[in-house]
Amino acid sequence: MPTAQSRWITIAALAALGILCLALRSDAIPTGRAHLSMRMKALPRRTLWVWERPEDLRAIDPATTAIAWLDQTVELGWDVVSVPRRQSFSYPAEAARIAVVRIEAPPGIKLDVAQQHQAVDLLLQSANQPGIAAFQVDFDATRSQRAFYASLLADLRRQMPASLPLSITALASWCSSDDWIADLPIDEAVPMLFRMEPDRIHARAGLPQFQIREPLCMGSVGVSTHEAWPDDMAGKRIYVFPDRGWHQDISLLTDRKLP
């Protein structure tokens, strides 16, 4: 007959074993943002933005290059309007694809919950497309629009496919001097280090206030074909915007060696 002391020892040992199993399980099967971020890292390091131009990208190497194409523009005004992509483009069937939705809202307009729900419904039309590797939102939210944007992203994340990574573009100041995106339910924020507007009106690029400090911004960078690229790009995912369209600028990538 086991004694009371031996029974307590057995219970304690089983409890410790249970805790150890839970720890091993959580390590073996990544979940949450860490798991999604690993999915982003599995994409090719170079991604070509395909904006509203007809493009032929069939010559790219899918092993090294992904595409992020503008699928629609959502305009937030008195009404919420979707402007679908009008220009066709072609690409290799094996290429990793990221659907992008641009959001535009006039400064000063009051944004409410009804507009948020309408916008999320439109975003989900792009995010639910079969075969995409990630989904990206492009919105230069002003200070007065940040609460709306944060709520929209939380609503979107809840309704998106659970395994689909969520990326956003970010003003350089969001990633450096202006700390407001740390708690957004996203897997990456791509600092836009070209055309620096509206940041350029405050200070020129290269000053200390544009040093990347936000962890969400440290894994990727957005650059353009005709502006200088930053030095600290080693190991990052590089998103490239074509200033004159890829039919003219694709040759410029030959001279742009990825660090």
Side-chain angles (χ1 to χ4, degrees), residues 40-232:
M40 290 297 299
K41 291 179 181 178
L43 295 175
R45 279 195 58 211
R46 182 168 62 192
T47 298
L48 307 185
W49 269 309
V50 183
W51 230 237
E52 191 61 88
R53 293 185 177 105
E55 300 283 15
D56 184 353
L57 293 171
R58 288 175 292 181
I60 66 170
D61 181 359
T64 61
T65 306
I67 60 170
W69 86 97
L70 177 67
D71 190 53
Q72 61 171 316
T73 300
V74 173
E75 298 177 349
L76 304 178
W78 298 113
D79 296 314
V80 178
V81 177
S82 170
V83 180
R85 182 184 184 86
R86 296 181 294 271
Q87 306 289 345
S88 62
F89 67 102
S90 53
Y91 54 90
E94 307 84 12
R97 297 176 298 121
I98 301 172
V100 183
V101 174
R102 167 73 179 170
I103 297 177
E104 295 182 351
I109 189 169
K110 183 175 176 58
L111 299 174
D112 57 27
V113 174
Q115 290 167 308
Q116 173 188 315
H117 291 165
Q118 293 178 66
V120 168
D121 287 344
L122 293 172
L123 290 166
L124 287 170
Q125 292 179 18
S126 296
N128 286 327
Q129 295 182 71
I132 62 174
F135 181 58
Q136 187 174 82
V137 181
D138 177 33
F139 182 27
D140 301 333
T142 63
R143 285 186 177 273
S144 64
Q145 295 167 345
R146 290 179 181 179
F148 171 88
Y149 192 24
S151 181
L152 178 146
L153 289 172
D155 192 5
L156 173 65
R157 178 69 271 178
R158 282 193 297 268
Q159 299 185 61
M160 275 176 55
S163 60
L164 187 68
L166 177 57
S167 167
I168 68 168
T169 60
L171 300 179
S173 58
W174 297 0
C175 298
S176 52
S177 58
D178 193 355
D179 179 20
W180 79 276
I181 67 172
D183 294 327
L184 295 181
I186 59 176
D187 301 286
E188 71 168 1
V190 183
M192 309 293 281
L193 301 184
F194 64 100
R195 299 187 180 176
M196 296 289 286
E197 298 294 351
D199 284 334
R200 186 171 284 158
I201 64 176
H202 302 297
R204 70 181 188 277
L207 292 180
Q209 55 262 51
F210 290 127
Q211 293 178 0
I212 303 302
R213 297 181 175 87
E214 168 55 50
L216 284 168
C217 300
M218 292 182 175
S220 59
V221 61
V223 295
S224 74
T225 48
H226 283 262
E227 292 191 37
W229 289 12
D231 295 328
D232 56 340

Side-chain angles (χ1 to χ4, degrees), residues 28-47:
I29 306 175
T31 57
R33 177 184 284 181
H35 178 49
L36 294 176
S37 297
M38 285 194 296
R39 286 174 58 89
M40 290 297 299
K41 291 179 181 178
L43 295 175
R45 279 195 58 211
R46 182 168 62 192
T47 298

